[in-house]
Amino acid sequence: MRDFVVVGAGPAGARFARSAAERGRDVLVLEQGEIGKPLACSGHVSLDVWEYVPDDARDRLFQNDIRGARFHLGGAGSRAYPFHRDDPISNAVDRVALDRTLARAAADAGADVRDGHTVTAVEEGRDGVTVTARGPDGTERFDARVVVGADGPRSRVRDECGLPEPDEFLHGVLGFDPDPDDEDFVDVHLTVPGFFAWRIPRGEAGVEYGLAVSPGDDPNGRFDRLVDGYDAAIDRRCSGLIPVGPPPRVTGKRSLLVGDAAGQTKPFTGGGILYGMRAADHAARTVDPARPETLGDYEDAWRDALRTDQRLGTAVRAGYSLPDPVQRLGLRAFSGEIGVHMDEPTTLFSREQLRAMLPGG
Ligand SMILES: Cc1cc2nc3c(=O)[nH]c(=O)nc-3n(C[C@H](O)[C@H](O)[C@H](O)COP(=O)(O)OP(=O)(O)OC[C@H]3O[C@@H](n4cnc5c(N)ncnc54)[C@H](O)[C@@H]3O)c2cc1C
């Protein structure tokens, strides 16, 4: 019997597998498709991402440095309220290559990583869990002490184990214009209900446009209007779900969820790569597969680590729905140099940020 069967080799699953294997656990990872595909993510991350990948992967993954954001209350060409810093705040990275790199690191640590395996059923018993998967050799069953649902926003493991869903799902749409652009500002348009639309320069990889809204709020029509405003030539599009608001419980009798499956995203950006990997480390550290009662330690540990930033992120997101005149006042007051860490809205209230907001600060 394995210690862990991990379902899904995205950032959260691959990171969990690596951390657990490094602790000497026997880990099997089952990924339904080809690792990293299909792409449904901007790969716009804080610099913390480099702590999670081997040094020699940086050149392969890096696309562009981002030093600031221009906020707009209208579409392309509308007045911009810039927020910036001298040093890079974030990076655009190749998300497909990131997933492959993280999965390779898990395999190098000793995890057994298998693609082409779609998990179709999970049965939790008193002494273990049985995971059924459809693979190249037909249907196979795998026994483990604990199953890890790292299978994204529409988690099969979550459903099979009867665990609750995140509060909300947004529908994100992305499109790429292949014209290179190494400018170091992203554009953020507060023009869609409850969220925002964006433009990210990705260096040689071109420019990405995107937005996220509730599924009934015409994401595709809104996306068309966004790129028309920029006169962009989009040559490929993709879309995906963004879970917002973690469910009250992400552990079962012999199961745990991590990453998007557990709603471990930033409510004000939808970003989940780093939160999912941080939570994955907490899971690998706290859960002893031979003692399922330690699953509760994981519930406590990841919520302690992310609770404050997720709550503040929810408050920041509420600002996207304020009336235009109030948003204008807020953007005028806050724009300029910033000292904020992209994954930590608590830094909005840090000494560094307050100093940056003082005249000449
Ligand atoms: C449009 C959009 C833009 C985004 N931009 C950003 C961004 O710029 N920065 C950021 O940090 N985050 C961003 N995100 C969020 C980010 O993509 C997710 O938070 C992140 O991918 C979550 O990682 P994960 O490992 O939990 O899930 P995933 O990356 O979704 O990985 C889950 C894996 O499980 C596999 N799987 C699913 N079901 C099964 C099954 N039954 N059997 C086997 N395998 C299965 C899937 O194939 C997949 O490989 C964006 C999301 C969207 C939709």
Side-chain angles (χ1 to χ4, degrees), residues 7-8 32 40 118-120 122 149-161 163-172 213-216 239-244 247 257-265:
V7 184
Q32 64 184 357
T118 303
V119 169
T120 54
V122 178
D151 47 347
R154 280 269 171 253
S155 168
R156 180 76 185 231
V157 175
R158 191 176 62 219
D159 288 353
E160 290 284 307
C161 297
L163 293 170
E165 290 201 336
D167 290 343
E168 184 188 357
F169 293 96
L170 298 175
H171 182 148
V213 286
S214 294
S239 71
L241 288 180
I242 300 176
V244 182
L257 306 176
V258 71
D260 273 18
Q264 290 161 344
T265 60

Side-chain angles (χ1 to χ4, degrees), residues 20-102:
E22 283 173 350
R23 287 176 163 77
R25 307 294 188 197
D26 180 357
V27 185
L28 170 67
V29 183
L30 300 173
E31 164 58 45
Q32 64 184 357
E34 193 187 325
I35 290 169
K37 293 205 170 163
L39 173 71
C41 175
S42 305
H44 179 220
V45 279
S46 77
L47 307 190
D48 292 358
V49 74
W50 303 119
E51 293 165 21
Y52 293 84
V53 295
D55 288 346
D56 61 1
R58 194 179 191 283
D59 287 351
R60 205 168 58 244
L61 304 182
F62 174 86
Q63 291 179 330
N64 201 16
D65 274 327
I66 304 297
R67 289 187 167 75
R70 289 182 291 252
F71 280 75
H72 306 259
L73 297 179
S78 63
R79 175 168 176 184
Y81 298 86
F83 293 70
H84 63 89
R85 205 167 78 180
D86 287 345
D87 300 329
I89 297 168
S90 54
N91 283 163
V93 303
D94 179 338
R95 169 65 204 263
V96 174
L98 175 67
D99 281 21
R100 290 182 182 155
T101 302
L102 294 167

